[in-house]
Amino acid sequence: MKKIIALILSLFLLMTFVYATSTAYAPNTLLYHADGSTKQVDPQFLDEHLQNGWYLYPVVTIYAVGDVTSVVYTADVHEHLQNGWFLDPVTEIYAPGGRKSVVYTQDVETHLANGWYLSTKDFPKKEKAVALTYDDGPSKFTNRILDCLERYGAKATFFVVGNSVYAYPDALLRAHTLGMEIGNHTMTHPRLTSVSSSEVLSQINKNANVVEKVTGTRPTLVRPPYGSYTQGVINTAGMPFILWSIDTLDWKTRNAQKTVDAVLSKVKDGDIILMHDLYLPTAEATEIIVPRLIDMGFDLVSVSELAERKGITLETKAYSKIK
Ligand code: ZN
């Protein structure tokens, strides 16, 4: 028994010795912090340091729009700077022509003094305005159109089909978040003059429910599929019906240049322009139309804002233009 106790005791002493020498002679590790400081750390405290803002290699704090910061390895900074990150805090701001830009936060005041804007709401209102409208989406091309509208601080109205919202809820939410108006283009796109009035009501309500589920807001405007309506249908729906004054026929030509020409050849103040966010050529046309219309002195606004600007309260009837 004594032997066993002696053995256990000596084993214990040996382990203590091994542990003591291993910790005593292990070299400290050099760690880096994003604030530029460095620190030698005993390896036994390494993990807790790595979990609390210390790194094994030099790091830098970098910035993106919207008070977003990140800490990256210094070796990776260059790659991040090429992908929308900055070494100093930045702010989104709009150039005098309306184009969205990113500038260093410290330079914002200087830009504002030189005619830049912090928000599209601050833009001086132009005398002329038109409403771009996109039907039948959302689709895989909606985001490309939104990219363009966002870049120029432009607004448009998307008359969405309820069933398509199920397929592309993210695109709808982004449109709403960017301040686009979301209109009602029914649940399954029937010709409203060919269905019962209870079906009209159901088509409108189902669409509104789906849109509300994604955006939190119910549409207040209807675009009837195929432009088919009667005053009876409008009364059943109980909302203004928004037609158009410029039909680009983008669905038929599937040609960006023809869509551009259809708009630019006849656009006037108060026009409502019909397109469909279902086709790549329509997205390409949008990228030409938006900056051109801005250059031509038009504000690009939602249908509701167009009405507001013209001092018109939209009623339960059909509108093909608003002036
Ligand atoms: Zn349609």
Side-chain angles (χ1 to χ4, degrees):
M1 189 63 183
K2 265 185 186 170
K3 263 188 185 170
I4 292 171
I5 291 170
L7 187 65
I8 290 172
L9 197 62
S10 55
L11 262 175
F12 178 75
L13 284 171
L14 182 68
M15 283 170 68
T16 310
F17 176 74
V18 167
Y19 179 74
T21 51
S22 71
T23 51
Y25 295 116
N28 283 340
T29 306
L30 180 61
L31 294 183
Y32 299 83
H33 198 274
D35 65 13
S37 56
T38 58
K39 190 180 193 180
Q40 298 276 351
V41 172
D42 189 314
Q44 64 178 314
F45 302 122
L46 197 54
D47 277 350
E48 70 182 71
H49 276 79
L50 293 180
Q51 283 161 21
N52 286 294
W54 292 88
Y55 297 82
L56 287 165
Y57 297 98
V59 287
V60 174
T61 300
I62 55 173
Y63 301 83
V65 169
D67 288 330
V68 178
T69 64
S70 183
V71 175
V72 298
Y73 287 120
T74 305
D76 298 333
V77 165
H78 182 69
E79 192 190 332
H80 280 78
L81 295 186
Q82 290 179 327
N83 287 298
W85 291 84
F86 297 85
L87 284 173
D88 289 300
V90 288
T91 302
E92 266 180 0
I93 187 169
Y94 294 88
R99 193 180 180 97
K100 185 144 90 174
S101 191
V102 175
V103 301
Y104 287 116
T105 303
Q106 69 219 26
D107 298 333
V108 165
E109 287 302 325
T110 316
H111 279 79
L112 295 183
N114 285 299
W116 291 59
Y117 307 95
L118 270 180
S119 158
T120 54
K121 292 194 186 82
D122 302 334
F123 286 2
K125 293 198 181 2
K126 294 174 185 163
E127 214 147 277
K128 300 186 290 182
V130 290
L132 299 179
T133 66
Y134 295 89
D135 284 11
D136 296 356
S139 85
K140 61 178 173 178
F141 299 113
T142 306
N143 265 309
R144 181 158 165 183
I145 291 168
L146 291 174
D147 287 344
C148 175
L149 296 169
E150 183 185 19
R151 201 178 308 135
Y152 291 96
K155 300 288 180 282
T157 305
F158 290 82
F159 288 100
V160 299
V161 175
N163 272 349
S164 304
V165 171
Y166 279 127
Y168 298 95
D170 293 351
L172 182 73
L173 180 58
R174 181 176 172 219
H176 171 76
T177 307
L178 286 174
M180 305 302 156
E181 180 162 26
I182 309 301
N184 192 323
H185 198 42
T186 75
M187 192 64 196
T188 63
H189 208 269
R191 194 178 286 275
L192 294 179
T193 48
S194 305
V195 299
S196 68
S197 56
S198 67
E199 178 62 12
V200 168
L201 204 52
S202 158
Q203 285 283 338
I204 298 296
N205 282 336
K206 280 181 182 166
N207 172 296
N209 291 342
V210 174
V211 170
E212 186 178 29
K213 206 179 278 178
V214 175
T215 67
T217 308
R218 293 175 82 79
T220 60
L221 305 175
V222 173
R223 166 148 301 150
Y226 314 102
S228 297
Y229 69 95
T230 60
Q231 188 57 45
V233 166
I234 298 177
N235 293 342
T236 302
M239 284 192 269
F241 273 35
I242 307 301
L243 283 299
W244 52 84
S245 51
I246 294 181
D247 187 351
T248 62
L249 297 176
D250 61 334
W251 59 274
K252 200 171 177 182
T253 68
R254 312 273 178 102
N255 179 302
Q257 192 56 51
K258 284 187 174 160
T259 301
V260 170
D261 293 344
V263 174
L264 299 183
S265 64
K266 54 187 162 194
V267 62
K268 295 184 304 295
D269 179 41
D271 272 332
I272 299 172
I273 298 162
L274 171 63
M275 290 184 278
H276 299 78
D277 52 329
L278 286 186
Y279 313 108
L280 181 61
T282 300
E284 292 167 341
T286 298
E287 288 164 359
I288 298 168
I289 291 167
V290 167
R292 276 292 291 138
L293 287 178
I294 291 171
D295 284 348
M296 290 164 74
F298 290 99
D299 273 338
L300 305 183
V301 298
S302 68
V303 172
S304 287
E305 191 186 335
L306 187 59
E308 209 179 298
R309 284 201 188 192
K310 305 293 179 191
I312 292 167
T313 305
L314 293 172
E315 297 161 19
T316 45
K317 60 179 196 179
Y319 295 85
S320 60
K321 57 191 162 197
I322 299 175
K323 41 188 83 177

